[in-house]
Amino acid sequence: AIERLGQIRAPALAIVGERDLPDFHAIADTLQQCIPSCRKAVVPGAGHMANVEAPQQVNEIILSFLTDNE
């Protein structure tokens, strides 16, 4: 499936916590590099459960992404 990421035309958002495991940062980097309209966002101070650890920050990231892609 990784070979087909370049075919994705919908806007995409990869969110990763600053303290998440290196593998998840690498996955988010790959998504950002391979999907033409992918944005990567790093949640400061959060780990793997960024949406639970920093829900307000994650909500702001998502709302900004949605607003920019209307």
Side-chain angles (χ1 to χ4, degrees):
I2 196 168
E3 295 87 17
R4 297 178 55 207
L5 289 175
Q7 298 174 11
I8 296 174
R9 297 294 173 238
L13 175 63
I15 300 176
V16 64
E18 176 184 31
R19 296 181 299 128
D20 206 342
L21 297 173
D23 287 348
F24 289 100
H25 281 272
I27 291 167
D29 289 340
T30 298
L31 293 174
Q32 182 183 30
Q33 292 167 5
C34 295
I35 299 173
S37 60
C38 185
R39 181 192 312 174
K40 177 185 171 187
V42 179
V43 181
H48 185 66
M49 300 289 290
N51 61 319
V52 175
E53 297 171 43
Q56 185 63 35
Q57 290 172 293
V58 171
N59 286 342
E60 289 171 8
I61 290 168
I62 294 170
L63 287 173
S64 174
F65 174 77
L66 292 173
T67 301
D68 292 347
N69 289 292
E70 287 185 319

